[in-house]
Amino acid sequence: MKIVIIGLGTIGTTILKSLSGEDHTITIIDEDKDNIERLIEKCDVQGVVGNGASIDIQREAGVKDADVIIVLTNSDELNIFACLVAKKLGAKNTIARVRNPEYRKQILEMKDELGISMIVNPEQDTATEIYNLINLPEIAKVERFAKGRVLLVEIVADKDCALVGETLISIGKKLRTRVLICAVQRDNEVIIPAGNFEIREGDRIHFTSDAKSLRDFLSEIRMVSSPLKNIMIVGGSKIGYYLADELSKKKYNIKLIEGDRATAEELADSLPRVTVINGNGAQHDLLIEEGIEAMDAFVALTDIDEENMVVSMFANKMKVRKTITQIKSDDLYGMLSELGINNNVSPKDIVANRIISYIRALENTIGSNILTLYRLVGNRVEALEFLAKRQEKFYDTPLRQLKIKDNCLIACIIRGSTVIIPDGNSSIQLGDNVIVVTTHKNFDDLADIFE
């Protein structure tokens, strides 16, 4: 596909790195000449220096022939206008970063006129992710396939978890609820496990489940807990605002701590059902005074990763049941589990996943079989949903008779309205949706997973 990315900040660069190894023709546009030159050399892409909303700059970048334009500058107005120009030139699909909720409402009513195919809001999307984690307190992360009917769930095996000390074979024999454990992170190692693999305390386990069966499985492995009620948020950013607003509608008790007085006053005015405190959320005495020990969940959303890590570690020490930490830097990811930080969110990765999944879905209309894609464990594992849309020789053959590549696992088969957690006797049929988890990169066809 021919892709143009306008605005190479943190999110734009993350998306570029994800797409640059996937056999696309990519052109980047940014006003920072040094940044463009660095990325051209590093990612083997074409680049144009200039204003991405300029029709002349877009013409120079070949926007008229592009399959997708992704506009991610810091200006909502520029992003909207750049999409309008791109559509006028002939671009087939446009994606815009729009953070102002008022603009978002208007765009949804005027998408055709504005030429915008998809809207992303990193702050809103991150708040939604955190909200889901609070609603499902037992899990560390959840991704959705097949329009939400199949879940890819991450949990951390604590000492009370019934999976600890069990092999995958024994788990299958003992538990009534069918799930498939498809990836395990143990320290810095990522494992696609075989049947004799034994779960240990502290393992981060990724498994696929029918959405209807998730609660039953968590109950069987002794990981169902009572709902969270009292929530403390440190950091009154846009993410903090969106999250507090959504939680307050569901009768959670929320305290939001913000250091800037003017921002705190604005938040207090716009969030009448939230207790807003003006103070330093990294200050020990303030956290104690505001009752961190009585909280069910603690969410660290300051702009400083290291500060988020420290206050999250303190919340863990105070026995808060669920701690969620915003981390922007990839360099810090490897040490999080070592520090007991099990629930973390990254706005750039959340948005990158959404955009890449959208692009994969577009590819499906022009030859690729990928419907959905998620990257897990610091982008070291891919979970892909394929459509079995043309006849293949491996259809209707039991999986145990097929030669599947190392570090690949067929995690789920969706056949019409039926969700199949596969075993060796299961088979793939024409028309199935098939979820594959692998450490290999850049698969774009279901046939790629077989030897």
Side-chain angles (χ1 to χ4, degrees), residues 233-236 256-265 276-283 286-287 290 302 307:
I233 303 169
V234 172
L256 193 162
I257 302 175
E258 165 56 39
D260 181 78
R261 185 172 185 82
T263 302
E265 289 175 351
V276 179
I277 295 106
N278 176 219
N280 181 359
Q283 189 179 65
L286 179 64
L287 293 174
E290 294 302 331
T302 78
E307 190 171 296

Side-chain angles (χ1 to χ4, degrees), residues 181-236:
I181 295 174
C182 46
V184 176
Q185 181 185 0
R186 179 172 292 165
D187 300 324
N188 276 325
E189 186 180 6
V190 179
I191 303 153
I192 305 292
N196 59 358
F197 179 85
E198 183 178 311
I199 302 295
R200 297 179 188 169
E201 182 182 345
D203 283 350
R204 301 182 73 93
I205 301 167
H206 301 259
F207 63 89
T208 49
S209 168
D210 181 339
K212 298 176 183 177
S213 304
L214 176 60
R215 182 63 61 180
D216 292 338
F217 175 71
L218 294 174
S219 179
E220 277 200 82
I221 64 172
R222 302 194 295 269
M223 286 194 69
V224 169
S225 56
S226 57
L228 307 176
K229 184 178 180 182
N230 300 309
I231 318 293
M232 180 178 285
I233 303 169
V234 172

Side-chain angles (χ1 to χ4, degrees), residues 130-146:
I130 297 170
Y131 177 80
N132 290 335
L133 293 178
I134 289 173
N135 269 338
L136 288 167
E138 305 87 358
I139 67 173
K141 187 177 284 291
V142 61
E143 308 290 4
R144 291 168 171 80
F145 295 93

Side-chain angles (χ1 to χ4, degrees), residues 372-383:
T372 313
L373 176 144
Y374 294 108
R375 289 191 166 94
L376 316 168
V377 197
N379 294 332
R380 294 157 67 188
V381 175
E382 288 191 351

Side-chain angles (χ1 to χ4, degrees), residues 1 67 361-368 389:
M1 295 181 75
D67 296 295
L362 288 176
E363 286 183 286
N364 181 56
T365 66
I366 57 174
S368 171
K389 67 179 182 179

Side-chain angles (χ1 to χ4, degrees), residues 294-308:
M295 293 296 151
D296 298 311
F298 180 91
V299 187
L301 295 174
T302 78
D303 289 329
I304 304 170
D305 284 353
E306 292 80 3
E307 190 171 296
N308 290 336

